Amino acid sequence: MNTFQLTCFMTVAETLNFARAAERLNITQPAVTHQIRSLEEELEVKLFKRTTRLVELTPSGYLFINDARSILETAVRAKKRFEDPEQQELTEFRIGSQSHTYLMGLPPALRRLRQLHPAVHPRFQTEPIPVLRRLLQEETLDAVMDFKEEEGEKKGVVYRELVKVPVVCLCPVGHCLAEKKTICLDDLGEEKLIFSSPVRSPVAVARLQGELIGKKPLSHIYIANSPETAAILTVAGYGISFLPDLFLPENPALAKLSLEGTVEMSFGVYYRMGDGNPILKDYLKIMAENLESTGLGEVGQETAV
């Protein structure tokens, strides 16, 4: 395995087109194909599913992206270090999350973190929670920002609650429900609903959606793969959405309503038990202080999970 093979792999993974990857790398398409086949033979897995019409990553190819990216980044840093031996050592701080929305409250905390650790380079990765758990345990991530899960083994992982978050209902301004401050499930009537992807939804939201989905025909249900796309569909008038009230972007076209009968969810940080990373220690302290100062909630306790 060499960096050129990995570069070819990453370029094909980004373009999903061998010809376009060859053009970007300024080599021939057969050369790209040869590098991918050599890499697949060495790894003894298929990285791409190829037909005459399309190229897709296989599950193995999808999982290999993180390893390939990490190896290439390490190689680039090593090369830079020898180009400029006096350059200050850089330190990555790797944060995972199911949604970019969950990271929207990070800038103030990262600003303070940079003051304490000028050499830190934050890196973000969004994946479904099972993938994030594996990456955390494999030490590919330093912290995962997410809602506390009620089930699922997370051996050797600690959860630190930062804030309690309610579920809210979003509807377009001008909608008949928009004038209400609080609604209940009975108010939904014949309304069309926008659900978040169950794979990327907190347990409380998934449970609420499961309660509602049996009462609606499929034509009245839309699935959004992120809070951002759920808000887009809501503004466009496709229906009403249900989201955790956490760092939702302000939108004058949307009304946000409290939802009766739902419990607040715990949002916080997962990290490895016994991790002595000083950057992580300062990050946890800063995040807790920042969220407490905004009035979103009181600082929670650490829980081994």
Side-chain angles (χ1 to χ4, degrees):
M1 186 186 307
N2 57 58
T3 56
F4 185 55
Q5 289 176 321
L6 298 178
T7 300
C8 289
F9 166 74
M10 291 299 295
T11 307
V12 176
E14 291 170 4
T15 61
L16 294 180
N17 186 295
F18 277 69
R20 200 171 301 133
E23 182 180 351
R24 182 181 294 184
L25 295 170
N26 198 27
I27 59 176
T28 64
Q29 182 174 336
V32 174
T33 301
H34 173 72
Q35 294 299 324
I36 297 299
R37 284 179 178 170
S38 298
L39 184 59
E40 289 177 328
E41 289 174 1
E42 184 174 349
L43 296 174
E44 298 183 350
V45 296
K46 282 291 183 183
L47 299 172
F48 295 99
K49 178 182 177 182
R50 299 181 282 263
T51 69
T52 56
R53 302 181 63 181
L54 54 81
V55 176
E56 294 179 316
L57 280 162
T58 63
S60 296
Y62 180 76
L63 292 175
F64 185 61
I65 285 179
N66 294 312
D67 295 325
R69 182 186 292 119
S70 179
I71 294 169
L72 287 172
E73 289 176 350
T74 300
V76 169
R77 286 198 303 272
K79 184 178 179 181
K80 290 291 185 183
R81 185 177 298 115
F82 286 107
E83 289 176 355
D84 184 7
E86 302 301 321
Q87 185 181 22
Q88 185 179 22
E89 184 72 20
L90 303 180
T91 304
E92 280 192 345
F93 184 62
R94 302 155 299 180
I95 304 171
S97 177
Q98 290 196 77
S99 169
H100 289 105
T101 299
Y102 300 166
L103 305 175
M104 295 304 291
L106 291 187
L110 293 179
R111 189 176 300 115
R112 290 179 59 190
L113 190 67
R114 181 170 57 85
Q115 294 170 350
L116 294 174
H117 302 277
V120 69
H121 277 224
R123 173 180 162 189
F124 307 103
Q125 187 164 343
T126 56
E127 304 285 357
I129 191 61
V131 177
L132 292 174
R133 289 178 183 173
R134 177 179 62 81
L135 295 177
L136 183 63
Q137 291 177 326
E138 293 176 355
E139 301 187 15
T140 303
L141 292 174
D142 297 299
V144 171
M145 307 292 298
D146 199 36
F147 290 90
K148 185 177 182 180
E149 296 292 328
E150 297 177 3
E151 300 175 353
E153 182 181 357
K154 297 177 280 292
K155 185 177 180 181
V157 173
V158 177
Y159 174 75
R160 171 77 173 271
E161 180 179 291
L162 296 175
V163 66
K164 291 285 191 180
V165 181
V167 179
V168 294
C169 172
L170 298 182
C171 68
V173 170
H175 190 278
C176 61
L177 295 177
E179 299 302 319
K180 294 176 174 279
K181 291 184 178 181
T182 303
I183 66 169
C184 62
L185 298 185
D186 291 339
D187 292 325
L188 299 177
E190 299 299 316
E191 298 290 341
K192 294 183 178 181
L193 305 178
I194 301 167
F195 290 164
S196 301
S197 169
V199 177
R200 293 180 179 267
S201 296
V203 171
V205 175
R207 186 179 293 124
L208 173 63
Q209 293 179 166
E211 181 181 344
L212 292 170
I213 200 166
K215 303 177 182 179
K216 296 285 182 180
L218 291 179
S219 59
H220 280 52
I221 295 172
Y222 297 87
I223 303 295
N225 61 2
S226 69
E228 295 91 345
T229 53
I232 289 171
L233 289 174
T234 305
V235 173
Y238 280 80
I240 293 174
S241 56
F242 306 92
L243 296 170
D245 191 12
L246 179 73
F247 308 133
L248 291 177
E250 294 296 328
N251 191 322
L254 285 176
K256 184 166 63 176
L257 314 173
S258 297
L259 192 59
E260 291 181 358
T262 57
V263 298
E264 290 187 327
M265 300 174 293
S266 174
F267 180 81
V269 187
Y270 287 100
Y271 55 96
R272 288 181 300 278
M273 186 179 297
D275 193 332
N277 185 347
I279 297 175
L280 173 64
K281 181 179 179 181
D282 287 334
Y283 174 78
L284 293 171
K285 180 180 178 182
I286 292 169
M287 282 298 300
E289 291 174 352
N290 278 17
L291 283 174
E292 188 175 19
S293 67
T294 62
L296 287 176
E298 296 183 355
V299 179
Q301 299 295 318
E302 293 181 351
T303 306
V305 292

